[in-house]
Amino acid sequence: MLIRLLNVALSILLAYALQEGRNSQSVDIDGYEQFTNQSLFWAPYRSNCYFGIRPRYVNDHPFMFGLMWMDSTHLEAMNKLRHLVDQNDKLDKYGWEVYDPRIGGKQTILDLDNNVNLTIYYFKSRDGANWGARIRGEPIDSQKLSTTSLVLYMNQNGGRENSHLVRSEPDSYGSENIKLRGLAPEMGEYDISINDLSGLYYSKGAPLHPDLDSSKTAHMSLTVPDDQVWIARDILQTLVGESIQTITSSSNKIDPVSFPSVFTIRNMHDFPPGNFHFIQKTFDLDKPFEFDIIFNNKASKQQIKSSSEFSAMIEWGLNEINNRFDNKFHIQHPEHKKFAQETLSNLMGGIGYFYGTQLVDRTTEFDDEQFEKIELSHPEEEGPLQLFSCVPSRAFFPRGFYWDEGFHLLQVMEYDFDLAFEIMQSWFELIEEDSGWVARELILGNEARSKVPEEFRVQNPNIANPPTLLLAFSEMLSRALAEQDDHNSQGEELNTFPFSTEELERQPDLLIVRAKKIFPKLLKHYDWFTNSQRGMVEEYVDYVDEKVHPMEAFRWIGRTFTHCLPSGMDDYPRAQPPDVAELHVDTLAWVGVMTRSMRKIAAVLSLKEEEEKFAAIEKNVIENLDILHWNPDDNCYCDITIDDESEDVREFVCHQGYISLLPFALKLMTPDSPKLKYLVDLMSDSDKLFTGFGLASLSKQDEYFETGEVYWRGPVWININYLCLDALVYYFQENECTDMETLGKARSLYSSLRENIISNMYRVWAHDGFVYENYNHRTGNGTGVRHFTGWSALVVNIIGRLPEQLY
């Protein structure tokens, strides 16, 4: 889909018209969508780069930008060249301190090995058409001899017929300030200027070649295929490596003081100019440096005309984002506020736009009775597809995850409701028209595949994941419906955009238009999920006291003896040995969430027949949770399997932990259920799940506790803890039907659990500077992937949105 930048005059007129009439009539749908496209057009959408910019929904001729850096005073400089985010770089810190994808933000990078503290400011003009980046650097250790050699690269994709990117002034070597001009069908004409503000170029030692002078800005233009722009680091290493070989072959010894010049890029092969540009600046860290990169679209009337104007944009943007955060999250503790804002900023700073093909195996057949690892050995490229998505971790998981994304959106929607819907809609658009399937991981193109082990690159339409997107959608619909009669319940949003970022929540007409477009695909998706994961109940029917609803029983297809990857809780204990007739309580619970969401959408669209159908299914799901999966002996929900040697035949597979809690956590129990007390007891029991850092994933008394990978067999995961806290609010904040003993225990549990999670995550962040994938259940220390600001960012909701205690 091609998106042209809109004429600013139209935006001004549209904004004026809206402000005049927003209280008397519904929002202009076309105008709202134009605003959304404009305000989200540019951003650092290359999630896997430390700093990489591209436009959203421009697929044929996107402009691509990236940043690399190194300390070129050492022979091993190229080995420490930073580009794609990598845990092995072991940076002391990297990430956004403040960020809003509609405005911009500030990112800090502490690279001890390269002895540089980088600060990157990125902000956009109000019309969304133009942007600037200010790169500032200073030494971490001022006594250490070092440089920061920064390499910017940019490419105007699409070849030279319909697009180009060329240097504006004569291509004279060594000009400190560089200007380029570009053209692309989707963006029109644009200019780029790179201007120094301060700093000293490295000038020690004599250049070994006229084109190898680190005391000047180096520029090189060449042609790079569009699908290889992302390997700019490899290209740079190859070009510089060849240059070094030529130098060393003609010189016996190179004075170390000249190393920075040796690592300067040059066009030794006389490549003709192309759309790809390297621009290298090597600063002596005896003094801090600062320079700007400014992009201006010629059709915009809000161009960034100077660095002083950009300075004003930075000041305005930082204040604006801070005010918006304070307006959304009311956090009194200043250090907790800093922690929460940085964590949210890194979640939103990881939002990426992905475009490319995916690998799908539609040939391999699944044998219901085969539980060995399934090899997807018949991949075919399909697409290209496009996705606008958060990522769990820029370093380790820079791609879209279906199971993670719903949790991401539970957080994003609290800051920018409409942004959350925009991301959700992108996922929904990928639901296949004929089958209703969407991949559990969206790994689009070679750039995304480069971060995925080969065994996990191929997707299969038989394998599902928890439909958390429908969980988020259900929450959004509940909020929107509740807001219809009380638009001011969350406080007035700052009126600095022509539209608020809560239009879908405040304007039911707009929500209905969007929901109508989505609903047919969601019907397909619902049918695919329930049909593909439906289990068999015939063996159990004669051995339960109540009537089973045979169509509402499910299991995860694709589990093995050791793992159930489709469930999302990979190594959580399941029935041993596996059986084709086993039924999984969490699969049924997630179907309940899907069904509830479909019922709410049908209600919004006034589809009475569909609403009644899904209401009946939802009722059946809730009843089956109790009929099939409640174990009165262990007083919790359990998977079930077949035991041919038992009179009962049905065997409960009880491993008390997150799966036991999901019907509660997903709010599928009735508020007056007598079973609530047992789950409160389970969560409160320090001999089982309760720890000083959150709820452990598996009971300490379980035989599988701390065995195998110890992934979902002990550690504290914030996504499930958040659901449990939110469910405690739902069931016990204003519940007068529960017995007083359970009510008191639930409120005590809530207060201590909330406090334990906040204090521990803050402690780890204050010490390490990062949020983690999960937390050790014994020490509270971060474990798993570092800088995991995916669903762990839900701590921001825990601090700033959930009440401090239940009343």
Side-chain angles (χ1 to χ4, degrees):
M1 179 176 64
L2 304 182
I3 301 176
R4 296 182 182 277
L5 290 176
L6 303 173
N7 185 282
V8 177
L10 174 63
S11 299
I12 295 172
L13 290 172
L14 179 63
Y16 176 78
L18 178 64
Q19 295 300 337
E20 288 294 306
R22 71 182 302 151
N23 294 322
S24 61
Q25 61 184 21
S26 63
V27 171
D28 175 355
I29 294 171
D30 291 338
Y32 166 78
E33 292 184 347
Q34 289 172 349
F35 161 71
T36 298
N37 291 336
Q38 273 189 289
S39 62
L40 296 174
F41 186 75
W42 286 108
Y45 287 141
R46 299 182 63 203
S47 307
N48 62 330
C49 295
Y50 284 111
F51 187 56
I53 298 170
R54 64 155 297 152
R56 186 177 77 129
Y57 293 135
V58 176
N59 300 325
D60 294 330
H61 307 87
F63 170 84
M64 308 292 280
F65 172 90
L67 172 69
M68 298 182 279
W69 72 90
M70 61 183 166
D71 176 2
S72 56
T73 60
H74 302 284
L75 276 176
E76 66 273 17
M78 277 292 174
N79 295 329
K80 296 180 180 179
L81 177 66
R82 313 304 191 196
H83 176 217
L84 302 182
V85 186
D86 192 329
Q87 287 198 127
N88 293 325
D89 289 344
K90 298 180 181 178
L91 302 189
D92 290 317
K93 181 177 181 178
Y94 67 91
W96 296 93
E97 293 184 359
V98 293
Y99 181 78
D100 182 316
R102 299 185 195 265
I103 300 171
K106 174 188 176 185
Q107 182 175 202
T108 299
I109 298 171
L110 296 178
D111 186 350
L112 191 60
D113 280 351
N114 283 314
N115 193 36
V116 65
N117 177 354
L118 287 176
T119 302
I120 302 173
Y121 296 94
Y122 168 81
F123 285 96
K124 299 187 283 189
S125 58
R126 304 286 182 91
D127 65 356
N130 312 309
W131 55 266
R134 176 165 294 170
I135 315 295
R136 187 180 192 280
E138 59 185 358
I140 295 174
D141 181 355
S142 60
Q143 302 302 310
K144 184 178 178 182
L145 173 66
S146 56
T147 68
T148 297
S149 187
L150 300 107
V151 181
L152 316 176
Y153 68 90
M154 54 195 78
N155 190 68
Q156 177 51 66
N157 287 17
R160 298 185 69 92
E161 288 188 12
N162 300 317
S163 60
H164 65 253
L165 180 62
V166 298
R167 192 162 176 174
S168 298
E169 75 275 17
D171 196 7
S172 58
Y173 182 80
S175 173
E176 292 182 359
N177 299 329
I178 291 185
K179 297 183 183 299
L180 299 100
R181 53 185 171 83
L183 172 69
E186 299 92 334
M187 298 184 296
E189 294 182 87
Y190 59 86
D191 292 320
I192 300 168
S193 61
I194 302 165
N195 305 313
D196 288 354
L197 302 179
S198 63
L200 296 173
Y201 285 86
Y202 184 87
S203 58
K204 300 181 178 74
L208 300 179
H209 187 278
D211 290 342
L212 295 175
D213 188 350
S214 60
S215 69
K216 300 176 181 178
T217 297
H219 170 247
M220 178 178 175
S221 173
L222 67 159
T223 297
V224 172
D226 292 351
D227 62 354
Q228 295 180 29
V229 170
W230 69 277
I231 60 170
R233 184 180 190 268
D234 297 340
I235 296 170
L236 180 69
Q237 287 177 320
T238 299
L239 293 172
V240 173
E242 291 175 348
S243 175
I244 292 174
Q245 285 181 353
T246 302
I247 294 168
T248 55
S249 66
S250 60
S251 176
N252 294 326
K253 187 176 180 180
I254 299 175
D255 187 344
V257 79
S258 298
F259 284 167
S261 290
V262 173
F263 286 108
T264 300
I265 192 169
R266 60 169 170 152
N267 189 1
M268 59 180 292
H269 298 296
D270 293 323
F271 292 124
N275 278 359
F276 185 96
H277 297 259
F278 280 124
I279 296 164
Q280 184 176 15
K281 293 176 177 289
T282 301
F283 291 101
D284 190 327
L285 286 188
D286 285 348
K287 180 181 178 181
F289 64 84
E290 193 170 53
F291 65 92
D292 287 345
I293 306 133
I294 295 176
F295 177 104
N296 280 313
N297 188 285
K298 288 191 174 181
S300 170
K301 294 182 180 178
Q302 296 185 16
Q303 295 194 9
I304 308 166
K305 297 177 182 178
S306 65
S307 288
S308 60
E309 282 193 11
F310 187 50
S311 295
M313 285 178 60
I314 292 173
E315 183 179 2
W316 175 86
L318 291 173
N319 288 333
E320 180 76 2
I321 297 169
N322 285 325
N323 290 335
R324 286 179 179 276
F325 183 85
D326 289 342
N327 194 50
K328 301 291 184 178
F329 303 98
H330 306 292
I331 303 173
Q332 301 301 318
H333 192 299
E335 288 302 311
H336 284 178
K337 177 190 170 183
K338 182 180 178 183
F339 164 54
Q341 186 168 17
E342 188 169 309
T343 301
L344 176 64
S345 294
N346 279 297
L347 170 65
M348 295 194 297
I351 294 173
Y353 176 69
F354 306 91
Y355 179 77
T357 60
Q358 68 173 342
L359 298 176
V360 181
D361 180 348
R362 298 180 187 268
T363 303
T364 299
E365 295 185 2
F366 281 53
D367 183 346
D368 286 344
E369 298 184 6
Q370 193 269 110
F371 295 99
E372 299 297 334
K373 183 178 179 181
I374 299 165
E375 299 291 341
L376 300 176
S377 55
H378 300 88
E380 297 287 342
E381 280 195 83
E382 296 185 358
L385 305 173
Q386 59 187 13
L387 176 68
F388 184 52
S389 177
C390 299
V391 303
S393 166
R394 289 167 59 198
F396 206 77
F397 299 116
R399 56 191 182 275
F401 282 78
Y402 180 90
W403 147 240
D404 293 64
E405 192 71 335
F407 290 111
H408 299 159
L409 298 185
L410 288 175
Q411 181 62 66
V412 173
M413 66 185 283
E414 297 294 349
Y415 180 81
D416 188 329
F417 191 91
D418 295 358
L419 171 63
F421 190 92
E422 192 72 13
I423 293 170
M424 184 184 302
Q425 182 174 253
S426 180
W427 276 91
F428 289 159
E429 287 175 353
L430 289 172
I431 297 171
E432 292 186 342
E433 295 282 356
D434 52 348
S435 68
W437 172 68
V438 62
R440 60 193 289 266
E441 290 187 37
L442 264 295
I443 310 166
L444 304 182
N446 289 328
E447 184 172 358
R449 284 180 208 132
S450 69
K451 285 293 186 78
V452 186
E454 191 169 347
E455 61 179 311
F456 298 116
R457 292 178 182 177
V458 183
Q459 305 297 299
N460 183 279
N462 294 296
I463 301 176
N465 243 186
T468 58
L469 287 168
L470 276 297
L471 170 67
F473 200 15
S474 180
E475 293 291 324
M476 294 182 80
L477 289 168
S478 296
R479 282 261 297 269
L481 294 173
E483 287 291 313
Q484 286 185 28
D485 299 322
D486 185 10
H487 289 177
N488 297 317
S489 66
Q490 301 297 329
E492 282 297 321
E493 181 168 339
L494 298 173
N495 191 23
T496 53
F497 285 145
F499 291 80
S500 83
T501 57
E502 297 176 347
E503 296 296 344
L504 296 175
E505 184 178 8
R506 297 176 175 183
Q507 299 288 343
D509 291 343
L510 186 56
L511 181 66
I512 288 171
V513 170
R514 289 296 189 87
K516 279 182 178 178
K517 294 179 181 179
I518 290 171
F519 194 62
K521 279 203 167 188
L522 290 185
L523 285 172
K524 286 277 190 181
H525 186 49
Y526 182 88
D527 289 343
W528 166 78
F529 190 98
T530 53
N531 290 330
S532 65
Q533 309 301 304
R534 183 166 283 114
M536 299 180 291
V537 299
E538 292 81 0
E539 290 87 346
Y540 303 103
V541 169
D542 295 333
Y543 299 93
V544 294
D545 296 331
E546 301 174 72
K547 184 178 178 182
V548 176
H549 304 289
M551 297 299 288
E552 280 71 61
F554 299 91
R555 68 186 182 100
W556 295 112
I557 301 299
R559 72 154 290 202
T560 66
F561 279 92
T562 59
H563 288 78
C564 186
L565 297 179
S567 73
M569 299 185 192
D570 304 0
D571 65 338
Y572 195 98
R574 301 286 180 167
Q576 292 297 336
D579 192 281
V580 66
E582 67 188 47
L583 298 176
H584 300 138
V585 63
D586 52 328
T587 327
L588 179 59
W590 285 114
V591 170
V593 168
M594 289 187 87
T595 308
R596 180 173 65 203
S597 187
M598 297 299 287
R599 171 179 59 79
K600 289 181 179 179
I601 301 171
V604 168
L605 300 180
S606 300
L607 301 173
K608 284 295 181 184
E609 187 174 333
E610 294 286 351
E611 182 184 1
E612 291 172 0
K613 180 186 82 171
F614 286 114
I617 297 173
E618 183 181 10
K619 179 174 178 293
N620 291 347
V621 167
I622 292 171
E623 290 178 356
N624 265 9
L625 283 169
D626 287 344
I627 295 170
L628 287 171
H629 292 284
W630 180 261
N631 181 1
D633 294 330
D634 284 8
N635 287 318
C636 69
Y637 293 100
C638 307
D639 292 345
I640 59 175
T641 190
I642 295 294
D643 184 355
D644 293 328
E645 298 180 2
S646 168
E647 283 187 21
D648 189 11
V649 173
R650 175 180 59 171
E651 178 185 353
F652 287 104
V653 183
C654 289
H655 297 284
Q656 293 181 333
Y658 287 170
I659 284 177
S660 316
L661 300 176
L662 270 184
F664 166 81
L666 297 174
K667 304 172 186 174
L668 293 169
M669 302 173 72
T670 58
D672 59 352
S673 171
K675 298 177 175 64
L676 284 172
K677 69 183 297 292
Y678 298 112
L679 297 185
V680 171
D681 288 342
L682 175 60
M683 289 185 285
S684 303
D685 192 341
S686 59
D687 291 328
K688 293 184 177 180
L689 300 185
F690 187 85
T691 79
F693 320 108
L695 297 175
S697 43
L698 187 64
S699 170
K700 302 165 192 174
Q701 298 179 357
D702 193 276
E703 62 178 310
Y704 291 98
F705 178 69
E706 292 186 331
T707 63
E709 299 166 15
V710 197
Y711 198 44
W712 293 87
R713 297 186 178 188
V716 173
W717 294 78
I718 303 308
N719 58 334
I720 305 301
N721 273 267
Y722 171 77
L723 292 180
C724 290
L725 283 170
D726 191 46
L728 284 167
V729 175
Y730 173 78
Y731 285 111
F732 298 105
Q733 177 77 309
E734 298 178 358
N735 191 335
E736 299 179 358
C737 302
T738 309
D739 65 274
M740 295 306 296
E741 181 181 354
T742 299
L743 184 59
K745 183 176 286 189
R747 291 176 174 175
S748 176
L749 168 66
Y750 176 86
S751 296
S752 56
L753 181 59
R754 179 182 179 275
E755 175 58 29
N756 288 351
I757 292 169
I758 293 171
S759 61
N760 183 63
M761 289 190 70
Y762 170 74
R763 175 188 67 83
V764 173
W765 174 82
H767 182 269
D768 295 356
F770 296 99
V771 170
Y772 285 81
E773 184 180 11
N774 48 59
Y775 292 82
N776 185 276
H777 44 285
R778 295 190 183 275
T779 67
N781 293 335
T783 49
V785 173
R786 188 177 71 162
H787 210 350
F788 188 96
T789 43
W791 60 39
S792 294
L794 282 165
V795 69
V796 183
N797 274 6
I798 295 173
I799 298 173
R801 298 294 286 186
L802 294 182
E804 291 189 16
Q805 53 186 310
L806 304 183
Y807 296 99

